[in-house]
Amino acid sequence: MSLTTRFAPSPTGPLHLGHAYSALLAHDMARVAGGRFLLRIEDTDTSRARPQWEELIYKDLAWLGLTWEEPVMRQSDQLELYHTALEQLATRGLVFPCSCRRSDIRAALSAPQEGAPLAPGVYPGTCRHRPMRERKQGDAIRLNMRAAVQDIEMPEFTETGPKHAESHQLDPERLILEIGDAVLGRKEIETVSYVLASVIDDAAQGITCIIRGEDLYQITFLQVLLQGLLDLPTPEYHHHRLIRDDHGKRLAKRDDARAIAKYRAEGATPQDIRRMVGL
Ligand code: GLU
């Protein structure tokens, strides 16, 4: 099977050196393997996605010397598919509506818990008993993790990145305690969470290897579970090291000082960028 990979930025700010590394690495790996390199615009967060950032993504990537297949997939064109997937999970009783606010969740987590302790930030299950037909405007949709891990045989995935290179079998107990009832549909009725949208699109684009930053390694366990639940193929994963600033902090979208556009304006060449990220 030939390698098909993608770069999937969210148009919520300028691309920085970390994005450049991810895109260049994925592009180079595809070219070396004689495979395909695709681009996907992850614009489901309508409160932050902007057309000017999308335009800048095309400009930055072209300037770096990358080429990709047209047409580019945009998540805002795919909403129907996401809703169908959510409905499928709802029919099987694997999701529930949730009206908890952050403060409700904090309060519930500070009360004494029964059983094994949940990892920090894991949803305490307050709304888990609610059926989907009672979903109200403004409710999020969460995966019922306890039901989900009983619904399928635990899938596995192969990681080839430098840090966790091996086969990983999903462990139901860890999924319950460390990930829990993840949000799949957001409060705004139209939007699904990135974790679900991305899984559906990787399958739709025929991605065989996902090359992305180490910061997304943990979420892979949830995404592989979703692939199992939705009967989608599991690609191979390659999580690469993160590009950090001089203080060792990983770069964020608001880190405009390291924006590719800024280096370009200052006269840097694409080769300079490759050198800066260690390629
Ligand atoms: N859209 C995500 C981001 O910009 C990347 C998702 C992925 O590569 O799976 O962080």
Side-chain angles (χ1 to χ4, degrees):
M1 185 172 51
S2 96
L3 183 135
T4 300
T5 191
R6 46 62 163 186
F7 177 56
S10 309
T12 55
L15 298 186
H16 56 57
L17 286 183
H19 297 105
Y21 180 56
S22 222
L24 287 165
L25 186 67
H27 186 265
D28 289 1
M29 282 172 73
R31 293 294 171 255
V32 166
R36 301 169 65 203
F37 174 75
L38 308 181
L39 182 59
R40 180 168 76 230
I41 301 295
E42 300 211 315
D43 58 351
T44 51
D45 183 353
T46 46
S47 65
R48 298 194 304 144
R50 297 283 176 274
Q52 71 264 30
W53 297 129
E54 185 177 332
E55 282 313 309
L56 189 59
I57 288 171
Y58 301 134
K59 196 168 166 187
D60 285 345
L61 296 181
W63 177 75
L64 283 171
L66 306 193
T67 52
W68 53 89
E69 292 179 23
E70 298 284 350
V72 170
M73 180 181 279
R74 298 170 76 240
Q75 290 193 322
S76 48
D77 297 330
Q78 301 272 103
L79 298 180
E80 197 93 3
L81 270 186
Y82 310 147
H83 292 149
T84 307
L86 276 174
E87 265 163 36
Q88 198 191 327
L89 295 174
T91 311
R92 284 151 65 191
L94 299 180
V95 289
F96 61 88
C98 174
S99 57
C100 294
R101 287 163 305 191
R102 268 174 222 269
S103 53
D104 300 328
I105 295 177
R106 263 199 309 274
L109 284 172
S110 65
Q113 310 272 323
E114 280 172 36
L118 300 175
V122 170
Y123 180 68
T126 320
C127 289
R128 196 181 294 137
H129 63 280
R130 292 178 56 201
M132 275 302 277
R133 61 174 187 282
E134 284 178 15
R135 185 182 186 203
K136 289 196 279 290
Q137 178 102 21
D139 282 356
I141 298 177
R142 286 183 183 272
L143 180 68
N144 182 334
M145 186 58 93
R146 284 169 172 73
V149 297
Q150 286 175 12
D151 199 69
I152 50 164
E153 259 188 58
M154 284 297 100
E156 45 183 316
F157 69 96
T158 302
E159 164 71 30
T160 62
K163 210 162 167 184
H164 311 274
E166 59 179 314
S167 267
H168 299 267
Q169 170 96 46
L170 265 50
D171 171 353
E173 199 58 21
R174 288 187 66 179
L175 287 168
I176 291 171
L177 298 179
E178 294 174 19
I179 295 176
D181 302 332
V183 171
L184 299 186
R186 293 203 305 249
K187 291 191 189 342
E188 309 77 35
I189 295 292
E190 283 311 311
T191 53
V192 296
S193 77
Y194 140 74
V195 269
L196 178 64
S198 173
V199 153
I200 292 170
D201 294 338
D202 283 328
Q205 289 190 296
I207 303 300
T208 63
C209 181
I210 293 181
I211 300 161
R212 61 184 183 185
E214 176 60 44
D215 53 330
L216 294 170
Y217 173 70
Q218 290 304 334
I219 212 83
T220 307
F221 292 81
L222 173 57
Q223 293 193 312
V224 171
L225 177 76
L226 290 172
Q227 287 152 6
L229 291 171
L230 296 169
D231 218 3
L232 302 173
T234 291
E236 195 172 274
Y237 286 85
H238 181 101
H239 290 90
H240 60 69
R241 67 183 161 82
L242 299 179
I243 304 295
R244 299 180 182 277
D245 67 14
D246 302 337
H247 307 287
K249 240 181 84 226
R250 86 179 167 90
L251 303 183
K253 268 278 162 61
R254 56 195 169 282
D255 210 338
D256 291 0
R258 285 165 184 82
I260 298 169
K262 183 156 181 287
Y263 287 109
R264 182 168 62 243
E266 288 170 358
T269 66
Q271 279 312 320
D272 293 332
I273 304 286
R274 279 187 175 266
R275 243 190 323 271
M276 278 187 248
V277 298
L279 275 171

